[in-house]
Amino acid sequence: TAGITQAPTSQILAAGRSMTLRCTQDMRHNAMYWYRQDLGLGLRLIHYSNTAGTTGKGEVPDGYSVSRANTDDFPLTLASAVPSQTSVYFCASSDESGGAKETQYFGPGTRLLVL
Amino acid sequence: GQNIDQPTEMTATEGAIVQINCTYQTSGFNGLFWYQQHAGEAPTFLSYNVLDGLEEKGRFSSFLSRSKGYSYLLLKELQMKDSASYLCAVYDSNYQLIWGAGTKLIIKP
């Protein structure tokens, strides 16, 4: 199985432009997450979705939006990119059992440079 | 606030043993994870502890003491391919995963 795929692998984006980062999982996991990872900092949660049709804000949601129309896909949109959004973006997913979330599995990441 | 502390960088010798420590202060506890992340790659799951004690998985072991808010990852018979960052993460009472900044492990021949 592919697990989690992300696209694009990398992107250079002009400030002010919009962009959608794509994430698809084939593990039928309930929960999905978007993180950003910056040098010297831990993974920071941007948005999450516990199940299809619901989304929630994480630690650093400003400037980002998400949707969860179905179980498999969880796109992340930057409406108007700024240089501080230069980062590596990871999508992850986890199953849920009896209300308890399980191990998170990660996609390969998208490296975004905003100029 | 919620916080996870781990050393920024450690150096060890090929064939040796290294212990990477992690201390946490979180609102509740629903499990602790260790992930490995090679440079330029995604984090990959290594181990999970929810009860006190030692979990062994091949060359890697992970220990948890909930009363002390402490865990360590023990890597034995180090290989060059073990050069990576090791991330500690804790599920809090709301099942939000709180991440440490990671420990960069450098293996020398």
Side-chain angles (χ1 to χ4, degrees), chain B residues 34-69:
Chain B
W34 284 96
Y35 283 78
Q36 180 189 60
Q37 186 177 24
H38 286 103
E41 298 184 6
T44 56
F45 169 71
L46 283 179
S47 68
Y48 169 68
N49 295 70
V50 66
L51 299 176
D52 291 349
L54 189 68
E55 294 282 342
E56 297 185 81
K57 193 183 293 186
R59 294 189 298 114
F60 293 7
S61 303
S62 56
F63 172 83
L64 174 67
S65 169
R66 288 173 296 170
S67 63
K68 295 182 179 179

Side-chain angles (χ1 to χ4, degrees), chain A residues 2-9 22-27 29 32-35 37 43 88-94 104-111, chain B residues 35-38 40-45 99:
Chain A
I4 301 181
T5 59
Q6 293 184 235
T9 302
R22 300 185 297 279
C23 174
T24 300
Q25 55 108 356
D26 64 1
M27 298 178 282
H29 283 170
M32 297 187 73
Y33 315 84
W34 274 105
Y35 291 95
Q37 188 175 42
L43 288 158
V88 181
Y89 291 86
F90 288 105
C91 180
S93 71
S94 70
Q104 293 188 16
Y105 296 94
F106 285 79
T110 294
R111 285 143 191 82
Chain B
Y35 283 78
Q36 180 189 60
Q37 186 177 24
H38 286 103
E41 298 184 6
T44 56
F45 169 71
W99 293 86

Side-chain angles (χ1 to χ4, degrees), chain A residues 40-42, chain B residues 4 6-9 20 85-88 99-104:
Chain A
L41 299 177
Chain B
I4 293 186
Q6 43 181 141
T8 301
E9 187 174 296
I20 302 174
S85 289
Y86 292 85
L87 313 180
C88 176
W99 293 86
T103 298
K104 182 177 181 180

Side-chain angles (χ1 to χ4, degrees), chain A residues 11-28:
Chain A
Q11 183 75 42
I12 299 174
L13 187 66
R17 300 295 295 268
S18 67
M19 179 177 181
T20 295
L21 282 62
R22 300 185 297 279
C23 174
T24 300
Q25 55 108 356
D26 64 1
M27 298 178 282
R28 308 303 293 173

